[in-house]
Amino acid sequence: MNENHYDVIIIGSGPAGYTAAIYCGRANLKTIVFEGMQRGGQLMITTEVENFPGFPEGIDGPQLMEQFRKQAEKFGAKLVTKDVEKAQLLNGRPFKIELGGQEYTSNSVIIATGATARFLNIPSEEKYKGKGVSACATCDGFFFRDKEVAIVGGGDSAMEEALFLTKFASKVNVFHRRDFFRASKIMVERAQNNPKIEFHLFKLIEEIYGDESTGVVSGVKLKDVRDNSIVDFPLQGVFVAIGHDPNTKLFEGQLDLDEKKYIKTIEGKTRTKIEGVFAAGDVQDDYYRQAITAAGSGAMAAIEAERFLESIN
Ligand code: NAP
């Protein structure tokens, strides 16, 4: 058999992808993981993970992912740190995956490509990306030592990032568009109790502006959504933490996607509409979006793939 033919091709390398690889490896399936150029998924840009069972003292996101990776490798999965360019699933088995001028084939595919941070999509945001606008406090917080910054959002990410930024920034403003938080109560309380954090409710950023001479952010026009009034709010950094979009571009037109473009799977399973193709983790989960649930669905996908492969042999 062609050396580029595998029992299972796994696309993506967050908790779902690596867990699927661990299970597939242990099931003696010839497995390859296309990890993507930025391997490890969203936990690579997370600080401390406090709620992953087995780590009562918490663990750094990148450290946790390194452990997942090692375990996947230990059981024989081949790991390739590259982006998949094309996935040919519609014509059935063998499925074809292309990258770097090479073709890989398999009898089953597990999609675990995760999700990517969303931006506000206002023109001035694009202009100042990397010059004061960021979607990753963990990556860029360090550059805002003794500066005043804002976090946009009312979810766990916004709370977590606001708390993280207090290590560097002189003040952290949370701009949220209503007075109800999606974030867990404990995270909101922690942020509210931090003297460096101030909440501004019913607020949206209308425009981001900068200093003409330095080209970096110097403030925002902040809108109150109750009466549409706008005020100038001087600050040096804007961190956007308003959720994520699933990474499903490769599969558009091949798999069924829901209205938010998440891959649709059979209820309670990871099976997609194409026999032999499974989806696990954030790419098919708009609801839980946790490392532990992603890992769980990675295990489910591997078990389903194993049973599927048995059924066709
Ligand atoms: P999220 O829970 O979907 O929250 C997104 C927030 O952004 C919401 O407050 C939303 O406001 C706001 N928002 C969305 N679009 C906006 C826009 N265009 N302008 C202004 N605000 C906007 O996303 P997340 O915080 O990234 O969390 C995702 C998942 O990861 C959740 O399940 C969360 O529990 C989990 N997570 C957990 C931890 C942890 O446990 N330590 C840490 C991070 C994330 P509305 O509420 O008004 O819609």
Side-chain angles (χ1 to χ4, degrees):
M1 182 59 88
N2 166 2
E3 68 170 292
N4 280 352
H5 182 80
Y6 288 82
D7 294 318
V8 188
I9 289 179
I10 298 171
I11 311 175
S13 60
Y18 285 141
T19 304
I22 293 166
Y23 273 71
C24 288
R26 284 193 84 241
N28 238 354
L29 299 172
K30 188 182 173 197
T31 304
I32 188 166
V33 183
F34 293 111
E35 300 178 286
M37 296 295 276
Q38 290 178 324
R39 68 178 197 224
Q42 294 174 63
L43 282 190
M44 297 302 278
I45 52 167
T46 303
T47 44
E48 206 179 345
V49 182
E50 288 182 329
N51 51 9
F52 201 88
F55 299 93
E57 311 302 331
I59 181 167
D60 274 357
Q63 221 182 325
L64 180 60
M65 291 325 297
E66 211 38 52
Q67 305 275 35
F68 270 67
R69 188 172 195 266
K70 262 194 206 153
Q71 206 167 342
E73 229 171 2
K74 173 178 159 184
F75 291 114
K78 181 169 180 185
L79 308 177
V80 178
T81 312
K82 285 186 183 157
D83 287 335
V84 167
E85 286 156 17
K86 198 169 165 202
Q88 174 64 260
L89 308 177
L90 257 190
N91 297 340
R93 297 191 308 275
F95 302 112
K96 296 190 176 93
I97 302 297
E98 288 173 31
L99 58 144
Q102 278 202 305
E103 185 179 88
Y104 297 81
T105 58
S106 67
N107 284 334
S108 70
V109 172
I110 296 176
I111 300 168
T113 45
T116 301
R118 228 180 256 152
F119 277 92
L120 294 168
N121 277 333
I122 51 176
S124 46
E125 174 185 57
E126 198 53 47
K127 182 172 171 190
Y128 291 105
K129 268 187 198 166
K131 294 172 187 151
V133 173
S134 166
C136 178
T138 320
C139 321
D140 301 325
F142 181 78
F143 302 112
F144 293 84
R145 195 174 287 281
D146 300 326
K147 300 204 163 126
E148 180 161 348
V149 300
I151 278 276
V152 185
D156 277 322
S157 299
M159 300 306 123
E160 188 178 78
E161 303 210 345
L163 286 159
F164 177 75
L165 285 167
T166 60
K167 293 188 195 175
F168 310 100
S170 55
K171 184 169 174 200
V172 180
N173 300 283
V174 175
F175 298 154
H176 182 34
R177 62 186 177 185
R178 51 185 181 145
D179 63 352
F180 174 83
F181 295 94
R182 286 179 200 267
S184 52
K185 211 164 163 249
I186 183 171
M187 294 294 279
V188 176
E189 278 173 10
R190 225 180 266 175
Q192 280 169 336
N193 291 335
N194 189 304
K196 274 193 175 179
I197 299 179
E198 188 177 336
F199 281 77
H200 306 263
L201 302 180
F202 300 105
K203 298 292 190 291
L204 268 181
I205 292 182
E206 182 80 355
E207 194 192 323
I208 301 167
Y209 53 82
D211 187 305
E212 285 306 321
S213 57
T214 59
V216 299
V217 168
S218 62
V220 298
K221 292 205 175 293
L222 194 62
K223 181 162 99 177
D224 190 312
V225 295
R226 291 166 296 190
D227 58 8
N228 287 336
S229 59
I230 292 178
V231 294
D232 277 314
F233 198 107
L235 46 70
Q236 286 83 51
V238 175
F239 288 85
V240 183
I242 60 169
H244 297 83
D245 291 315
N247 298 321
T248 47
K249 234 185 168 44
L250 278 175
F251 316 108
E252 275 176 18
Q254 303 194 70
L255 294 172
D256 286 343
L257 307 182
D258 70 12
E259 67 285 355
K260 292 183 189 163
K261 303 221 163 166
Y262 286 80
I263 294 176
K264 282 191 188 171
T265 51
I266 311 292
E267 203 177 340
K269 295 271 191 298
T270 64
R271 256 178 61 197
T272 67
K273 77 162 190 187
I274 300 178
E275 255 207 338
V277 178
F278 306 87
D282 285 12
V283 75
Q284 52 84 54
D285 168 26
D286 179 31
Y287 187 76
Y288 300 107
R289 296 180 293 177
Q290 304 296 305
I292 187 69
T293 50
S297 75
M300 287 165 64
I303 292 168
E304 286 176 54
E306 185 192 350
R307 292 188 184 157
F308 169 74
L309 291 168
E310 259 170 33
S311 77
I312 59 167
N313 279 332

